[in-house]
Amino acid sequence: MSSEVLDRWEQRLEDIFEGRPYDMLDAALTHTVFNFPLDIKPFRDMIEGMRMDTQKCRYHNFQELYLYCYYVAGTVGLMSVPIMGIAPDSRISTQSTYDSALYLGIGNQLTSILRDVGEDAMRGRVYLPQDELAQFGLCDNDVFSRKVTDQWRAFMKKQIKRARFYFNVAEEGASQLDKASRWPVWSSLLIYRNILDAIEDNDYDNLTKRAYVKRAKKLLMLPLAYTRSLSTHNLMSQ
């Protein structure tokens, strides 16, 4: 996507928040903006993430990768909270709920990155912290060779542990959303968490295999997600 297209998107975004939609799709978002307390910043930041993706395909460290994950996925969580609503009897602060939504987006994006390592490598992209690859004696060529080694498995264990951390800290906020909104959020959290399990089940081979959760397993997780959604208590995973 060209920078000119993204510039036009950003201008249309400004117009939407000013009540000047360009077409019917813009009008739908304008209607949402005027009916919910949405902030324009996450929308701007998502466009910035798209710009980043046109210019950058390597990330020196996790700080850089975190920023990318915030731009392309954490922003979705921040956009969603005003629409989903927060429970009137929420046990945590509004800011904590927004933080949890952000962390769920980060966890989802990190999981997507780990799931898609092989596919991204075929496009010449490596969305992994370069310094952490080096800590395990790895580099881009090891990713491109698509060979699963003990060093790769050890590296992947660290990356999966980090993604799970973000899912764990997201749980508190998921249980404090408006009751009608909790079930889909919990479903997303549990399904993405299971993608990490699938990578482990594939012996950490995300270079030649794409981890996924089978449809039957997804359906079986829905009752668990519903049960979690009924409680306003923090159910931090062990």
Side-chain angles (χ1 to χ4, degrees):
M1 187 174 295
S2 69
S3 59
E4 290 81 8
V5 170
L6 293 174
D7 288 343
R8 287 199 299 273
W9 279 16
E10 190 161 27
Q11 182 56 59
R12 285 175 65 173
L13 176 65
E14 300 286 343
D15 289 342
I16 286 168
F17 272 78
E18 291 295 327
R20 298 190 301 269
Y22 174 76
D23 57 19
M24 292 303 294
L25 291 176
D26 287 4
L29 182 53
T30 300
H31 180 268
T32 304
V33 166
F34 276 83
N35 282 277
F36 297 93
L38 287 165
D39 187 343
I40 195 173
K41 186 177 187 302
F43 293 86
R44 286 191 185 123
D45 287 345
M46 177 176 277
I47 294 174
E48 187 60 32
M50 296 177 187
R51 285 199 182 95
M52 181 181 289
D53 228 8
T54 66
Q55 304 164 359
K56 191 178 180 72
C57 58
R58 296 293 187 280
Y59 295 85
H60 177 66
N61 52 41
F62 181 66
Q63 287 74 25
E64 289 186 5
L65 185 61
Y66 179 93
L67 183 61
Y68 171 72
C69 290
Y70 160 71
Y71 279 144
V72 301
T75 51
V76 177
L78 299 182
M79 295 172 191
S80 300
V81 172
I83 297 171
M84 291 184 170
I86 299 174
D89 59 346
S90 174
R91 299 164 183 261
I92 63 176
S93 68
T94 298
Q95 184 60 53
S96 294
T97 303
Y98 274 88
D99 288 345
S100 292
L102 167 62
Y103 295 147
L104 178 57
I106 298 294
N108 284 352
Q109 185 62 28
L110 289 174
T111 300
S112 296
I113 287 170
L114 298 181
R115 178 194 62 198
D116 299 339
V117 168
E119 295 175 14
D120 289 332
M122 288 191 290
R123 298 185 294 122
R125 292 180 171 273
V126 180
Y127 293 93
L128 300 168
Q130 295 286 312
D131 61 343
E132 294 180 18
L133 281 169
Q135 288 171 12
F136 289 87
L138 300 167
C139 63
D140 287 353
N141 287 338
D142 295 291
V143 180
F144 296 142
S145 72
R146 307 183 77 184
K147 292 180 180 178
V148 180
T149 63
D150 287 342
Q151 292 97 321
W152 179 257
R153 292 185 183 94
F155 170 76
M156 282 304 305
K157 287 177 183 178
K158 177 175 181 177
Q159 304 307 309
I160 289 172
K161 181 179 180 180
R162 174 185 285 144
R164 283 187 174 136
F165 165 78
Y166 283 102
F167 287 134
N168 288 345
V169 295
E171 285 192 5
E172 185 176 43
S175 294
Q176 306 301 320
L177 293 170
D178 186 79
K179 192 173 182 179
S181 302
R182 292 179 208 156
W183 190 10
V185 173
W186 268 106
S187 298
S188 170
L189 194 158
L190 294 179
I191 289 171
Y192 268 81
R193 188 181 268 157
N194 267 261
I195 293 173
L196 300 175
D197 297 340
I199 295 173
E200 292 176 332
D201 292 343
N202 288 339
D203 196 26
Y204 302 98
D205 182 2
N206 51 352
L207 296 171
T208 66
K209 298 178 182 179
R210 192 176 194 270
Y212 68 97
V213 182
K214 293 181 179 179
R215 184 181 180 185
K217 190 170 185 179
K218 288 180 182 178
L219 292 174
L220 289 172
M221 276 190 284
L222 293 179
L224 175 59
Y226 183 70
T227 300
R228 294 287 184 97
S229 74
L230 295 178
S231 174
T232 57
H233 293 285
N234 180 23
L235 299 169
M236 186 74 71
S237 294
Q238 299 299 318

